[in-house]
Amino acid sequence: MGTGVAAGAADKNSAASAVTASPGDSAALARQLDAFIAQGMVDWNIPGLSIVVVNDQGVVYEKGFGVREIGKPGKVDRHTQFGMMSTTKAMTALALAMLVDEGKLKWDDPIVKHLPRLRLPNAYLTEHVTVRDALRHTSGVGNADMLWFREDLNTEQVLARLDRVPAATSLRSDFIYNNAMYQVAGEVIATTSGMRWEKFIATRIMAPLGMTDSFATMSAMRASGKPNVSRPHAQIDQAIRVIDDVAVDIVPAAGAAWSSAHDAGKWMAFLLAGGKVGERRLVSEANFKALFSPQVAVNDPDQWGYPTLALTRSNFSAYGLGWFLQDYRGQYVAMHTGSMPGRTAIAGLIPAAKLGVYVGGFKFQA
């Protein structure tokens, strides 16, 4: 769950022309954005997607395009459920920031202080990997996706096998994206707060934000009985087909949440407001800023990076706590994608411009 084709969409030669209407003409801007998205869906053979654009005044654009399932009439609208995948990581990091505020833990606590049972590839990593390391992908633990993606192990069994995953680097010497270590961070939330990760996310983040369309896990979304749910699609034998979902519920803190464009707008507005819902602050200003402060450089796009880094010509690329960070045309950008078979999502913020965008949609190999 990480980089995906959505991040490289700007490279498509036949994409629609850029929006050119004046900023004050909102109706014209909306029409041009409608046309841009519709053409992009044709160019990329995308059955459906939803999008929300938010500024400091609230939602300025919120819409669904296409169908929830190819070959069926159900339309995507602003309430259609899409997987958030790795954009969920920002919620996990926020939850830990809230617990740091409460004095339940510190960013640089060794994880083993809160999870004494944890065993990593060697004794040094076990003793020294911190909460911050898990969130910024500097634990040194190698990619462990094979443990949870196969879907025949439960969460406890996945974490119990991390000592069998080879160390990829020494501690804090490189950026190694690791979903399993985000679940380790999720277990810290559980032990320090007294509630499971999914309950904390639902009650301490989604509920205060009024995210009534949103769920912390796929199982919770399905149990709700909501019918307005998208299906994943893939290109198979030159045709776009519906495929089965792969759940992330085994490592939910890494990417299990589900939401709609309507609710994602509330999430983006909260982030643009600096961690506030109305006049209520859910997280301190200092710890909110820590989420968006560069924690580790992402120096090698060939090893790990989005295709758009070459197109946007960023001067820097870094990772915060649950967010990729870079510059674009002189603006600081925080963003993250999420990807699973047949699905993709992307969240983007330009804080200085008070602008946020969230897109949920389908992904397949072009």
Side-chain angles (χ1 to χ4, degrees):
M1 289 176 293
T3 57
V5 294
D11 195 34
K12 196 71 173 178
N13 291 330
S14 55
S17 60
V19 174
T20 57
S22 65
D25 191 347
S26 57
L29 285 168
R31 288 193 297 272
Q32 289 195 29
L33 188 52
D34 286 348
F36 182 84
I37 293 169
Q39 184 60 54
M41 291 175 66
V42 171
D43 293 343
W44 288 89
N45 295 321
I46 296 173
L49 63 82
S50 65
I51 179 173
V52 61
V53 181
V54 180
N55 66 14
D56 56 346
Q57 301 302 309
V59 172
V60 295
Y61 185 88
E62 181 181 88
K63 198 163 187 178
F65 292 82
V67 294
R68 302 193 299 261
E69 180 176 348
I70 197 165
K72 294 189 176 181
K75 300 291 186 181
V76 173
D77 60 32
R78 63 191 186 130
H79 295 289
T80 300
Q81 289 286 312
F82 283 93
M84 296 183 75
M85 286 82 71
S86 280
T87 67
T88 302
K89 288 180 170 68
M91 291 186 174
T92 297
L94 172 64
L96 284 159
M98 294 164 72
L99 292 168
V100 172
D101 281 342
E102 295 169 11
K104 301 290 181 63
L105 67 136
K106 297 178 181 178
W107 290 119
D108 295 312
D109 279 350
I111 290 175
V112 72
K113 173 181 177 180
H114 303 287
L115 299 178
R117 70 186 185 279
L118 181 69
R119 295 294 180 269
L120 296 179
N122 58 56
Y124 186 85
L125 293 182
T126 299
E127 294 171 9
H128 292 91
V129 169
T130 67
V131 175
R132 190 190 304 271
D133 289 321
L135 294 180
R136 66 185 179 185
H137 304 291
T138 57
S139 69
V141 179
N143 187 305
D145 285 350
M146 79 292 288
L147 293 177
W148 62 268
F149 196 83
R150 46 194 267 177
E151 296 188 282
D152 63 344
L153 300 176
N154 61 34
T155 303
E156 190 64 31
Q157 290 170 328
V158 168
L159 299 185
R161 286 164 170 76
L162 288 179
D163 62 347
R164 308 179 195 180
V165 178
T169 67
S170 57
L171 179 61
R172 302 182 197 115
S173 64
D174 203 356
F175 174 87
I176 304 294
Y177 194 86
N178 196 305
N179 289 303
M181 289 304 297
Y182 252 77
Q183 183 55 36
V184 170
E187 296 299 310
V188 172
I189 293 170
T191 58
T192 57
S193 72
M195 64 178 79
R196 293 173 60 87
W197 175 88
E198 50 265 47
K199 184 176 181 182
F200 191 102
I201 299 302
T203 61
R204 296 286 305 275
I205 297 177
M206 291 177 172
L209 270 59
M211 296 176 69
T212 56
D213 271 348
S214 301
F215 303 90
T217 61
M218 180 187 289
S219 59
M221 182 274 294
R222 287 179 170 171
S224 75
K226 284 184 177 288
N228 192 356
V229 181
S230 62
R231 295 291 306 278
H233 294 72
Q235 184 169 306
I236 302 171
D237 296 331
Q238 308 304 311
I240 308 303
R241 305 177 189 274
V242 176
I243 62 173
D244 291 334
D245 265 308
V246 176
V248 192
D249 291 9
I250 296 170
V251 287
W258 285 68
S259 192
S260 64
H262 185 63
D263 268 12
K266 299 174 184 178
W267 169 235
M268 303 305 280
F270 164 78
L271 296 170
L272 289 177
K276 295 173 65 177
V277 184
E279 296 303 313
R280 180 186 176 190
R281 178 168 287 284
L282 297 191
V283 60
S284 69
E285 185 176 354
N287 279 317
F288 182 83
K289 286 182 177 179
L291 304 176
F292 296 95
S293 298
Q295 301 283 332
V296 58
V298 183
N299 290 319
D300 187 357
D302 292 330
Q303 176 188 357
W304 181 269
Y306 290 96
T308 46
L309 286 177
L311 298 172
T312 58
R313 300 177 182 177
S314 298
N315 294 296
F316 84 97
S317 178
Y319 200 85
L321 302 177
W323 292 93
F324 282 95
L325 311 171
Q326 65 180 82
D327 64 292
Y328 178 64
R329 294 186 177 181
Q331 296 272 23
Y332 167 88
V333 177
M335 54 84 69
H336 213 295
T337 62
S339 298
M340 287 295 289
R343 295 191 179 279
T344 193
I346 185 167
L349 296 164
I350 304 179
K354 295 295 183 181
L355 176 66
V357 180
Y358 195 96
V359 181
F362 305 117
K363 183 192 81 169
F364 49 86
Q365 297 301 316

